[in-house]
């Protein structure tokens, strides 16, 4: 029951607009392998699922043994590595929802990489429940295998997050 309540809470949190996910690399990927194209499309789909609050789809895109790491210095890194979709849901997504008035992903650009990896560069535009807003530069490194996310690494301006969380 806790997981269902978290889905609803997280769905409300992520019922946000994620404007302009860059399709440049996806649309122009004529030289890349079909595997790279597929992986970029999967990651693009995960961001789009976040945009409409479809957390079950996001979690369904994660391997059952996904290894998820928040950036060192991020308050949510205290549980690193999060292993499995439920750990990500409860240790990261639910906490973001509990701590924020809003949390938007903006200016997402996907970059093709080799070896099953996709790099996303983006910004977090968010407001902590303490009233502090922040706009932080972010990168997400996704690793995929057989159509599922097997690892995730967040890179973010943790000083900006810390300042917003603690002031």
């Amino acid at each position: 029951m806790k997981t269902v309540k978290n889905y609803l809470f997280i769905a409300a949190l992520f019922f946000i607009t994620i404007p302009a996910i860059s399709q440049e690399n996806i649309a122009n990927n004529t030289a890349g392998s079909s595997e790279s194209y597929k992986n970029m499309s999967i990651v693009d789909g995960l961001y789009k699922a976040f945009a409409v609050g479809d957390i079950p789809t996001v979690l369904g895109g994660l391997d059952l043994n996904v290894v998820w790491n928040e950036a060192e210095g991020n308050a949510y890194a205290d549980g690193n590595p999060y292993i499995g979709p439920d750990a990500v849901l409860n240790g990261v997504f639910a906490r973001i929802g509990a701590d924020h008035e809003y949390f938007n992903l903006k200016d997402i650009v996907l970059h093709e990489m080799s070896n099953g990896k996709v790099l996303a560069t983006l910004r977090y535009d968010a407001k902590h429940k303490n009233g502090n807003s922040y706009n932080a530069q972010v990168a997400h490194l996704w690793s995929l295998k057989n159509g599922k996310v097997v690892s995730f690494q967040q890179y973010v301006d943790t000083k900006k997050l810390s300042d917003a969380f603690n002031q």
Side-chain angles (χ1 to χ4, degrees):
M1 183 56 94
K2 181 178 178 184
T3 300
V4 172
K5 287 170 74 177
N6 282 344
Y7 282 151
L8 297 175
F9 181 73
I10 300 302
L13 167 69
F14 286 104
F15 192 72
I16 57 176
T17 302
I18 302 178
I21 294 177
S22 175
Q23 298 297 314
E24 178 180 329
N25 287 330
I26 294 174
N28 295 328
N29 187 8
T30 56
S33 72
S34 62
E35 186 70 21
S36 292
Y37 177 81
K38 179 181 172 189
N39 288 338
M40 288 182 63
S41 294
I42 290 168
V43 171
D44 181 54
L46 294 176
Y47 283 118
K48 286 178 178 174
F50 273 115
V52 296
D54 186 358
I55 301 307
T57 293
V58 175
L59 295 174
L62 305 181
D63 185 83
L64 293 178
N65 296 307
V66 65
V67 177
W68 187 284
N69 283 290
E70 294 292 294
E72 293 177 5
N74 182 345
Y76 305 129
D78 61 350
N80 281 351
Y82 295 93
I83 307 295
D86 283 342
V88 174
L89 173 67
N90 296 310
V92 181
F93 298 160
R95 291 169 69 190
I96 290 170
D99 291 343
H100 290 82
E101 290 183 29
Y102 64 85
F103 185 88
N104 296 310
L105 307 177
K106 292 193 171 185
D107 304 326
I108 300 168
V109 179
L110 300 179
H111 307 272
E112 179 182 356
M113 300 184 72
S114 60
N115 298 321
K117 295 187 181 351
V118 175
L119 178 67
T121 53
L122 59 146
R123 299 196 72 84
Y124 292 161
D125 178 34
K127 184 173 184 181
H128 195 275
K129 285 192 175 174
N130 66 13
N132 293 328
S133 298
Y134 60 94
N135 187 300
Q137 183 180 34
V138 183
H140 293 159
L141 181 60
W142 302 85
S143 297
L144 295 95
K145 184 174 182 182
N146 299 322
K148 295 282 189 175
V149 176
V150 294
S151 69
F152 171 90
Q153 177 64 58
Q154 174 201 55
Y155 301 92
V156 64
D157 182 346
T158 54
K159 169 124 175 46
K160 194 170 278 191
L161 296 183
S162 180
D163 289 348
F165 283 33
N166 297 311
Q167 291 183 354

